[in-house]
């Protein structure tokens, strides 16, 4: 009897000793910040990383979001006071002095956003949201820093801050050809993450700066190639005509000053008119150019990303002509690409809508015909580069 | 009245039918069914070896499994209780049984395991692990840097040297020539990943802080999947890329152009983007 019991007793004693010697629960001080009492099981992070947000944030709100909230809210919550909305719950508040709406995002929302941010986003965008996570090292293009409130490919003109819906679409779409994936996380969780990301704007910048304005996605008129209300349009159901017009417009608007040119120098000069007949270009004409002045700063030094070659590079957010149209029209905030379209239907853009549509079709044509087709692409580019 | 009277038998038959339907649908030919249950044909020089080994193991295990099943089922059916027959069972403690057990144990544990240890391990060591790369200087060296949740690839470009401005960098896309050995250095920035190209029958873990080597020699041109074979976090399932294998002449043209574009993109001030390491052969 003793012989069989002894090993068991010894083992139990060892276990008990191990339990006494092992560190107990980590105290709140050790964690850096008090964890929220009801952490979901996934909310684990490297030692010392705070997972809760103690204070709510007062962020700029978009008028259209408030109108939508008012339409969906229970009766009696929102009422009109003159031209502005008054929220009985106090979540949204009109600031008469700055003439903006503020949204008070509660700490609970930010904590949920923070926890998902740490789980999903921090490996690249950093635990502080500064764009310098563990996996960010050497990544080009570098992951966005959320401390600077500029976002590429939101389809919102660079003069404005993007609205939540535009950011949500971007996160769900992903950026092709980069590690920014199409995020299949539920919309509610993504919205909480976005609130947290917006709250990362430093004091008096981004969503905390009342002089900023939140904008809508660029005005997108119907595509003349598919627009059934204008069947008389010469491009209607004839994309090749739009592509031909786009080739001309692309070179006329000098897209090749950043992107590659897809014409021989002779053709290009013929298109530019008699005064350019003998213009000579350097070899970089048919390559994307590195623009130092539009570079992006990472931890104190600048990273320059060249404009894409449409026969070579994957388009970040341009799976069809419509997406390409919106990228061209809205421009790319934080890059060299200006806003080419018009922000609202009454304004006048620097390039007419129809020509942007033509260029969009041309770009999609280049992508579809030559990307991942090395033989065809080599033949095409050799032709372009011949004198 | 159904011809099959037992309810249990009917359930079993229905389950089997459902499984068969799952296995066959929506195939249009027997070939399709076969193709679905086996990996794609190998696209690398050593791929067929792995398939042969896989087949050998499957057959050996299948035969052993069948023998064990027969040994189990025959006594269960033969000695079961039925009208006029009492269930018989045996503790296996007679001298005969002990001898029998000893003989089987010696055969399995000593003879079989010794054979596995000596012969099979020798085959594995020389034929399947550390297979020598073809002894040719014409090797494409590729550095693979895994991260959550992407593959970063670096190929040397037309100067053949890694760590120079004309290196071709790509994310989730690797272009290699046909019929030339491709030497890989695999590592990771964050957690453990595993580079897996099923068609090439190559799989190598990417461990942070360690450089693991592997090689393959594509014998077919085409596009193949690159996968991550180590659960590496939330978006592990999205961590896949494409391997383009180009015929040699096309590859040379591609490499020249890719190098020219890489040179145009090279930013001398951006030292961090040049993450190459000394290639481990």
């Amino acid at each position: 009897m003793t012989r069989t019991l002894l090993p068991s007793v010894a083992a139990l004693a060892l276990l008990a000793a191990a339990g006494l010697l092992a560190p107990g629960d980590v105290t709140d001080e050790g964690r850096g910040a008090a964890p929220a009492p009801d952490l979901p099981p996934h909310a684990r992070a490297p030692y010392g990383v705070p997972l809760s947000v103690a204070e709510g944030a007062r962020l700029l709100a978009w008028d259209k979001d408030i109108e939508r909230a008012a339409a969906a809210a229970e009766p009696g919550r929102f009422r009109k006071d003159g031209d502005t909305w008054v929220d009985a719950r106090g979540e949204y508040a009109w600031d008469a002095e700055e003439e903006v709406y503020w949204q008070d995002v509660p700490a609970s929302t930010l904590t949920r956003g923070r926890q998902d941010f740490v789980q999903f986003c921090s490996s690249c965008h950093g635990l502080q949201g500064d764009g310098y996570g563990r996996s960010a090292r050497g990544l080009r293009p570098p992951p966005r820093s959320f401390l600077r409130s500029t976002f590429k490919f939101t389809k919102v003109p660079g003069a404005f801050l993007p609205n939540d819906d535009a950011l949500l679409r971007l996160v769900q779409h992903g950026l092709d050809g980069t590690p920014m994936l199409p995020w299949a996380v539920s919309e509610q969780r993504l919205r909480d993450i976005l609130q947290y990301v917006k709250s990362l704007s430093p004091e008096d910048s981004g969503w905390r700066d009342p002089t900023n304005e939140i904008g809508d996605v660029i005005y997108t008129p119907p595509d003349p190639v598919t627009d059934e209300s204008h069947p008389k349009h010469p491009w209607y159901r004839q994309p090749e005509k739009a592509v031909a017009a786009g080739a001309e417009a692309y070179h006329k608007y000098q897209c090749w000053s950043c992107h590659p040119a897809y014409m021989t120098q002779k053709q290009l000069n013929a298109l530019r008119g008699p005064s350019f007949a003998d213009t000579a270009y350097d070899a970089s004409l048919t390559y994307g150019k590195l623009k130092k002045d539009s570079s992006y700063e990472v931890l104190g030094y600048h990273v320059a990303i060249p404009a894409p070659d449409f026969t070579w590079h994957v388009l970040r957010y341009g799976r069809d002509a419509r997406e390409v149209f919106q990228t061209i029209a809205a421009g790319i905030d934080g890059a060299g690409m200006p806003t080419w379209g018009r922000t609202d239907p009454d304004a006048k853009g620097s390039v007419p809508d129809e020509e942007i549509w033509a260029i969009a079709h041309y770009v999609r044509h280049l992508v579809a015909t030559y990307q991942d087709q090395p033989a065809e692409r080599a033949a095409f580019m050799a032709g372009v580069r011949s004198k | 009245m159904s011809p099959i009277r037992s309810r249990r038998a009917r359930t079993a038959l229905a389950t089997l039918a459902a499984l068969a339907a799952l296995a066959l649908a929506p195939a249009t030919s027997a070939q399709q069914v076969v193709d679905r249950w086996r990996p794609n044909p190998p696209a690398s020089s050593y791929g067929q070896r792995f398939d042969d080994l896989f087949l050998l193991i499957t057959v050996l295990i299948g035969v052993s499994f069948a023998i064990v099943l027969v040994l189990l089922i025959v006594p269960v059916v033969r000695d079961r209780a039925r009208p006029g027959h009492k269930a018989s069972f045996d503790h296996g403690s007679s001298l005969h049984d002990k001898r029998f057990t000893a003989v089987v144990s010696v055969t399995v544990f000593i003879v079989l395991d010794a054979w596995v240890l000596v012969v099979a391990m020798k085959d594995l060591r020389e034929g399947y692990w550390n297979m020598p790369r073809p002894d040719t200087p014409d090797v494409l060296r590729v550095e693979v840097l895994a991260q959550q949740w992407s593959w970063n690839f670096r190929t040397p470009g037309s100067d053949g040297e890694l760590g120079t401005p004309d290196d071709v960098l790509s994310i989730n896309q690797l272009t290699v020539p046909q019929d030339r050995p491709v030497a890989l250095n695999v590592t990771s920035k964050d957690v453990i990943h595993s580079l897996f190209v099923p068609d090439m029958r190559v799989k190598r873990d990417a461990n942070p802080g360690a450089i693991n080597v592997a090689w393959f020699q594509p014998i077919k041109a085409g596009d193949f999947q690159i996968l991550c074979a180590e659960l590496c976090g939330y978006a592990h399932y999205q961590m896949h890329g494409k391997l383009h294998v180009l015929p040699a002449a096309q590859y040379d043209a591609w490499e020249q152009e890719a190098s020219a574009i890489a040179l145009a993109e090279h930013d001398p001030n951006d030292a961090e983007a040049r993450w190459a390491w000394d290639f481990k052969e």
Side-chain angles (χ1 to χ4, degrees):
Chain A
M1 194 67 184
T2 331
R3 255 187 20 215
T4 43
L5 268 181
L6 212 73
S8 323
V9 172
L12 275 174
L14 265 175
L15 276 175
L20 283 175
L21 290 175
D25 286 343
V26 179
T27 55
D28 287 356
E29 290 80 15
R31 273 234 166 246
D38 53 343
L39 285 186
H42 72 263
R44 271 175 271 121
Y47 190 80
V49 170
L51 284 172
S52 59
V53 180
E55 277 180 44
R58 202 179 173 95
L59 305 174
L60 278 186
W62 191 34
D63 311 12
K64 289 191 186 174
D65 275 345
I66 296 168
E67 269 156 37
R68 214 176 319 164
E74 70 276 6
R77 181 180 161 188
F78 285 94
R79 66 181 168 81
K80 272 261 171 154
D81 178 20
D83 281 344
T84 58
W85 288 101
V86 176
D87 180 4
R89 278 211 218 149
E91 187 189 347
Y92 297 98
W94 172 250
D95 183 340
E97 197 178 317
E98 303 282 2
E99 302 204 323
V100 290
Y101 283 104
W102 292 107
Q103 182 184 7
D104 281 316
V105 184
S108 57
T109 303
L110 296 182
T111 297
R112 284 200 302 274
R114 164 76 187 164
Q115 287 170 359
D116 282 342
F117 180 88
V118 168
Q119 191 192 4
F120 300 138
C121 321
S122 67
S123 63
C124 289
H125 294 284
L127 287 163
Q128 267 66 44
D130 56 4
Y132 214 75
R134 182 176 271 272
S135 315
R137 224 182 137 68
L139 259 191
R140 295 295 174 266
R144 205 106 287 258
S145 159
F146 298 127
L147 309 182
R148 42 184 56 237
S149 319
T150 38
F151 294 89
K152 291 158 104 179
F153 305 106
T154 55
K155 320 286 190 197
V156 175
F160 303 98
L161 287 175
N163 61 68
D164 288 7
D165 291 343
L167 287 173
L168 182 78
R169 241 191 330 274
L170 181 74
V171 176
Q172 287 176 333
H173 180 284
L175 294 174
D176 299 340
T178 79
M180 181 69 191
L181 304 163
W183 285 93
V185 178
S186 77
E187 185 178 324
Q188 190 49 52
R189 289 173 84 177
L190 288 179
R191 284 192 185 275
D192 289 346
I193 295 175
L194 288 177
Q195 294 296 347
Y196 173 72
V197 165
K198 280 156 59 184
S199 80
L200 290 171
S201 329
E203 206 56 43
D204 289 327
S205 79
W207 277 268
R208 295 181 193 267
D209 178 2
T211 59
N212 279 339
E213 202 180 329
I214 295 175
D216 205 346
V217 169
I218 190 85
Y219 170 67
T220 313
D223 179 357
V225 174
T226 54
D227 181 15
E228 283 172 10
S229 59
H230 288 92
K232 293 266 172 62
H233 197 285
W235 303 345
Y236 182 63
R237 293 200 175 157
Q238 302 199 38
E240 63 283 357
K241 285 191 181 166
V243 169
E248 204 166 295
Y250 178 94
H251 295 91
K252 189 176 89 185
Y253 286 104
Q254 303 191 8
C255 299
W256 46 265
S257 59
C258 295
H259 298 274
Y262 302 104
M263 276 186 178
T264 61
Q265 298 195 4
K266 218 184 243 173
Q267 285 170 316
L268 187 59
N269 286 341
L271 186 79
R272 297 182 78 189
S275 56
F276 291 96
D278 297 320
T279 309
Y281 305 86
D282 60 27
S284 69
L285 180 68
T286 53
Y287 290 98
K289 285 88 174 166
L290 213 55
K291 294 278 172 175
K292 288 272 176 279
D293 51 340
S294 63
S295 68
Y296 177 77
E297 196 187 311
V298 180
L299 286 194
Y301 64 90
H302 289 261
V303 172
I305 305 293
D309 177 343
F310 303 110
T311 62
W312 187 270
H313 294 105
V314 179
L315 296 190
R316 301 280 176 257
Y317 197 142
R319 292 180 195 162
D320 55 35
R322 189 186 152 81
E323 289 179 358
V324 177
F325 174 94
Q326 290 183 326
T327 304
I328 300 171
I332 298 168
D333 193 15
M337 183 85 172
T339 301
W340 294 106
R342 42 192 180 149
T343 45
D344 65 88
D346 307 322
K348 196 174 174 300
S350 17
V351 176
D353 291 337
E354 200 170 90
E355 283 184 293
I356 302 183
W357 270 117
I359 295 172
H361 281 285
Y362 178 57
V363 165
R364 277 308 311 171
H365 163 80
L366 289 174
V367 171
T369 320
Y370 301 116
Q371 228 175 56
D372 290 339
Q373 306 289 335
E376 286 83 348
R377 183 185 180 276
F380 173 66
M381 290 311 278
V384 164
R385 283 166 191 159
S386 62
K387 289 288 168 186
Chain B
M1 193 72 186
S2 160
I4 302 162
R5 270 175 297 165
S6 152
R7 204 174 142 220
R8 219 178 278 167
R10 278 205 302 270
T11 318
L13 264 184
T15 314
L16 273 179
L19 280 176
L22 210 66
L24 298 173
T28 51
S29 67
Q31 189 59 42
Q32 268 189 342
V33 178
V34 174
D35 286 347
R36 190 179 303 165
W37 290 92
R38 68 166 187 213
N40 289 341
S44 66
S45 56
Y46 56 50
Q48 192 56 48
R49 276 207 227 179
F50 286 92
D51 285 14
D52 294 346
L53 179 67
F54 183 73
L55 185 70
L56 177 71
I57 292 176
T58 310
V59 168
L60 283 180
I61 304 254
V63 169
S64 321
F65 182 62
I67 293 172
V68 170
L69 268 192
V70 167
L71 290 178
L72 266 172
I73 290 169
V74 165
V76 163
V77 173
R78 192 188 56 195
D79 302 333
R80 76 190 191 281
R82 53 191 187 273
H85 187 279
K86 197 163 172 262
S88 68
F89 60 88
D90 187 346
H91 288 291
S93 52
S94 67
L95 189 64
H96 168 267
D97 288 347
K98 281 177 181 163
R99 270 190 203 141
F100 179 77
T101 309
V103 168
V104 169
S105 306
V106 167
T107 316
V108 171
F109 292 121
I110 298 177
V111 179
L112 207 68
D113 285 6
W115 181 75
V116 165
L117 268 174
V118 177
V119 183
M121 292 301 252
K122 186 167 172 285
D123 282 354
L124 280 174
R125 257 199 305 279
E126 291 166 12
Y128 297 99
W129 298 343
N130 310 326
M131 253 180 297
R133 208 169 67 200
D135 189 17
T136 158
D138 189 25
V139 174
L140 180 76
R141 290 177 175 80
V142 181
E143 293 185 347
V144 185
L145 181 58
Q147 70 171 91
Q148 284 178 323
W149 288 276
S150 288
W151 296 104
N152 296 269
F153 297 104
R154 173 185 288 271
T155 43
S158 31
D159 69 352
E161 293 274 324
L162 280 159
T164 51
D166 78 337
D167 283 6
V168 181
L169 281 148
S170 59
I171 292 176
N172 289 341
Q173 274 198 27
L174 175 60
T175 307
V176 298
Q178 193 188 328
D179 296 329
R180 240 174 91 185
V182 178
L184 302 168
N185 268 197
V186 189
T187 189
S188 162
K189 287 187 199 176
D190 34 41
V191 301
I192 303 176
H193 303 271
S194 185
L195 179 81
F196 184 26
V197 191
D199 296 82
M200 299 293 160
R201 308 287 190 267
V202 64
K203 184 192 274 179
R204 192 63 86 229
D205 274 8
N207 302 69
I211 292 168
N212 299 332
V213 298
W215 70 273
F216 65 93
Q217 184 172 351
I219 52 169
K220 279 184 199 165
D223 289 355
F224 306 100
Q225 263 190 317
I226 297 173
L227 302 166
C228 179
E230 180 68 55
L231 182 59
C232 58
Y234 171 77
H236 164 64
Y237 73 104
Q238 290 201 53
M239 186 169 169
H240 47 72
K242 212 184 242 180
L243 175 75
H244 301 287
V245 180
L246 299 179
Q250 263 192 47
Y251 178 80
D252 291 341
W254 179 89
E255 189 183 57
Q256 212 176 358
E257 185 65 15
S259 287
I261 290 177
L263 275 176
E265 288 180 359
H266 176 69
D267 180 357
N269 299 318
D270 187 4
E272 206 200 41
R274 285 169 277 154
W275 44 259
W277 54 81
D278 292 338
F279 197 84
K280 193 169 148 190
E281 293 295 335

